[in-house]
Amino acid sequence: MSLLQRLLVFGVVAMAVGLVARVASHDYGDALTKSILFFEGQRSGKLPLTQRMTWRKDSALRDGFEIGVDLVGGYYDAGDNVKFNFPMAFSITMLAWSVLEFGQSMGSDLQHALEAIQWGTDYFLKATSIPGFVFAQVGDPNGDHNCWERPEDMDTPRTPYAVSKKFPGSEVSAEIAAALAASSMVFRSINREYSARLLKRARMVFEFADTYRGSYNDSLGPWVCPFYCDYSGYEDELLWGATWLFRATKAPYYWNYVLDNINNLEKSSSYAEFGWDAKHAGINILVSKLIKSQTPSVINADKFVCSLLPNSPTASVSYTPGGLIIKPGGSNMQRVTALSFLLLVYSRPLSKANRVIYCGDDIVATPARLVQVARSQVDYILGSNPLNMSYMVGYGKKFPEMIHHRGSSLPSISQHPQHIDCGGGGTYFSSDNSNPNLLTGAVVGGPDVKDSYDDSRADFKHSEPTTYINAPLVGLLAYFKSH
């Protein structure tokens, strides 16, 4: 072997060792466990004996009782105590999709992921139990946001808000249908009766969403906006729900629905958008997995990939100097996890078909490149960044300690059993002390465009965790745990 050959081999080995060292520096299994545990900290209702995040206690046990409906359960979306069903349903859909794609890699965490999904689906069965009505929210967001209270102490109005035939809300209804349909697939081999119940309800709720079309912005605007306004229209949720129902049922009706309506989506310039509001990129990737030919959905799925790659001529995102995806508007980390999840999912059919994507003359996106970009984002979250800090609470040696979260920042019921009223939490909010309760697994909104992070409760855009940040991350961590 020549000297040059030896140097080349050494270089390859050295790079491989460096890559292994970099990958091994993160314990994806530990992060996976914690990312699922986070959902226990967001639970509303009567907590089970198996509750592992023990500083949280029962809360909102009379939700819906004032109108004679049981709406106890579900999740608080973020650092507040309101149950916003639109983003909650998206979180459950993404948890279910995470299990469907990567559940085989979750090991002992799979059971906890199933429990997290069922905590949501049990609630959605309640929220859709009255024909002709879908409950979209519980809690007055303006009253709630004006208080800094533990969920266990809430004394703000727990008003239920519903959409109906006369006052429709197709986006929230169709997203709940998607969550129920996706979850029915998760439980099919575990609990066939429960799975069938979820699927039957998903069909019913989707029919309601499609028959009585309209946005809940118009029906419930003063209460859902500006918190979770639907800015992208409800047509994407209808397609999203129909696609999941086709996957769950294989019924031609839903496939024909997708084919008949997807052209409206293809005309949109939102092919690169995905999150609790816009479902466009997720729909294209779901549909592209069901079609072998080069259809508009496949073309737009490819365009989505090119929109994320650094140096791509059609990039619609920017990157921080440390390598984190930045997309304008709201909490950034929700986009990082959701978009990275789609890259990882789409890499699989590309790999199976031995196909690459061309993003201009010199940019070639191989399946391995998609996985690499997704991994770089996960690694950044876990600590491979200029600050050498994890953005997941409880993971690593350095992580956010003053997150924007009421329950985490106030003393627990065990430590302070006396009631803390609306104004009483203000001193804890403004305190310079670390939060007394560790919301393990919570991923915050993340750093700014220059990789800086101010650990401040007041800076909610960067310091607040949400269920829809964590839900796609569960799938990503499951994959990287075993790859």
Side-chain angles (χ1 to χ4, degrees), residues 28-334:
Y28 298 116
D30 181 48
L32 171 64
T33 298
K34 289 171 177 173
S35 70
I36 298 171
L37 177 59
F38 159 73
F39 286 90
E40 294 192 16
Q42 297 302 111
R43 283 172 169 171
S44 178
K46 180 72 176 175
L47 302 185
L49 295 176
T50 54
Q51 174 82 7
R52 295 174 296 164
M53 198 170 286
T54 54
W55 58 264
R56 277 297 324 282
K57 304 299 179 185
D58 300 344
S59 63
L61 296 180
R62 295 188 56 81
D63 278 359
F65 280 34
E66 64 186 81
I67 58 168
V69 182
D70 179 4
L71 295 174
V72 175
Y75 290 105
Y76 305 118
D77 69 304
D80 54 36
N81 300 323
V82 180
K83 296 191 297 200
F84 294 101
N85 291 1
F86 189 23
M88 190 198 306
F90 175 71
S91 299
I92 299 303
T93 307
M94 293 308 296
L95 275 176
W97 196 359
S98 291
V99 169
L100 291 170
E101 291 283 346
F102 309 113
Q104 72 278 6
S105 300
M106 291 183 180
S108 60
D109 285 309
L110 176 59
Q111 180 58 37
H112 295 301
L114 296 176
E115 291 167 0
I117 294 169
Q118 187 168 350
W119 194 266
T121 52
D122 283 352
Y123 168 73
F124 285 128
L125 288 173
K126 295 178 178 183
T128 57
S129 61
I130 302 176
F133 292 88
V134 170
F135 285 92
Q137 185 170 307
V138 180
D140 173 12
N142 294 299
D144 179 89
H145 287 191
N146 287 331
C147 294
W148 197 257
E149 281 184 300
R150 300 178 293 198
E152 296 84 357
D153 281 337
M154 277 187 294
D155 47 20
T156 53
R158 299 299 295 169
T159 310
Y161 301 92
V163 296
S164 62
K165 297 175 182 179
K166 188 176 180 181
F167 300 101
S170 295
E171 62 280 269
V172 63
S173 303
E175 184 61 62
I176 290 174
L180 293 170
S183 300
S184 76
M185 299 170 67
V186 168
F187 289 105
R188 186 168 293 161
S189 62
I190 303 165
N191 186 336
R192 293 190 68 84
E193 183 180 349
Y194 186 67
S195 171
R197 187 181 174 205
L198 295 179
L199 189 54
K200 181 179 179 181
R201 187 64 60 84
R203 286 175 177 266
M204 183 191 85
V205 176
F206 178 79
E207 182 180 1
F208 169 79
D210 188 42
T211 303
Y212 304 99
R213 292 191 176 195
S215 174
Y216 84 153
N217 291 359
D218 300 322
S219 306
L220 299 174
W223 302 283
V224 300
C225 295
F227 313 100
Y228 290 103
C229 264
D230 179 16
Y231 296 102
S232 67
Y234 57 78
E235 292 83 358
D236 55 324
E237 275 79 31
L238 288 171
L239 268 171
W240 176 244
T243 306
W244 277 111
L245 275 161
F246 174 70
R247 280 198 62 179
T249 65
K250 298 296 186 285
Y253 170 80
Y254 295 111
W255 186 238
N256 291 333
Y257 185 100
V258 172
L259 296 180
D260 290 345
N261 291 280
I262 201 164
N263 285 337
N264 297 327
L265 189 75
E266 307 306 349
K267 297 173 186 174
S268 167
S269 59
S270 301
Y271 61 84
E273 301 299 324
F274 187 60
W276 61 262
D277 181 11
K279 309 302 186 308
H280 301 69
I283 294 166
N284 286 323
I285 284 177
L286 270 180
V287 172
S288 69
K289 292 182 71 175
L290 302 168
I291 297 178
K292 304 301 180 186
S293 58
Q294 195 76 353
T295 63
S297 287
V298 174
I299 293 169
N300 275 343
D302 288 359
K303 287 167 65 178
F304 160 74
V305 169
C306 294
S307 77
L308 293 182
L309 295 187
N311 303 319
S312 168
T314 57
S316 66
V317 301
S318 57
Y319 284 78
T320 67
L324 183 70
I325 288 173
I326 294 289
K327 203 168 174 68
S331 170
N332 184 63
M333 212 65 92
Q334 63 175 304

Side-chain angles (χ1 to χ4, degrees), residues 284-404:
N284 286 323
I285 284 177
L286 270 180
V287 172
S288 69
K289 292 182 71 175
L290 302 168
I291 297 178
K292 304 301 180 186
S293 58
Q294 195 76 353
T295 63
S297 287
V298 174
I299 293 169
N300 275 343
D302 288 359
K303 287 167 65 178
F304 160 74
V305 169
C306 294
S307 77
L308 293 182
L309 295 187
N311 303 319
S312 168
T314 57
S316 66
V317 301
S318 57
Y319 284 78
T320 67
L324 183 70
I325 288 173
I326 294 289
K327 203 168 174 68
S331 170
N332 184 63
M333 212 65 92
Q334 63 175 304
R335 295 171 178 81
V336 173
T337 60
L339 299 177
S340 298
F341 179 89
L342 291 187
L343 284 180
L344 184 60
V345 168
Y346 197 45
S347 73
R348 306 178 94 187
L350 288 179
S351 182
K352 191 174 182 180
N354 197 27
R355 189 167 76 85
V356 299
I357 299 170
Y358 295 94
C359 304
D361 296 335
D362 301 317
I363 308 292
V364 179
T366 64
R369 177 67 173 133
L370 271 61
V371 175
Q372 179 190 35
V373 172
R375 185 192 294 270
S376 73
Q377 300 306 297
V378 172
D379 286 352
Y380 187 107
I381 291 171
L382 297 182
S384 295
N385 56 61
L387 297 181
N388 291 314
M389 72 173 290
S390 160
Y391 287 99
M392 176 184 285
V393 173
Y395 178 87
K397 295 180 180 178
K398 181 183 178 184
F399 51 81
E401 296 182 2
M402 298 174 64
I403 65 173
H404 182 95

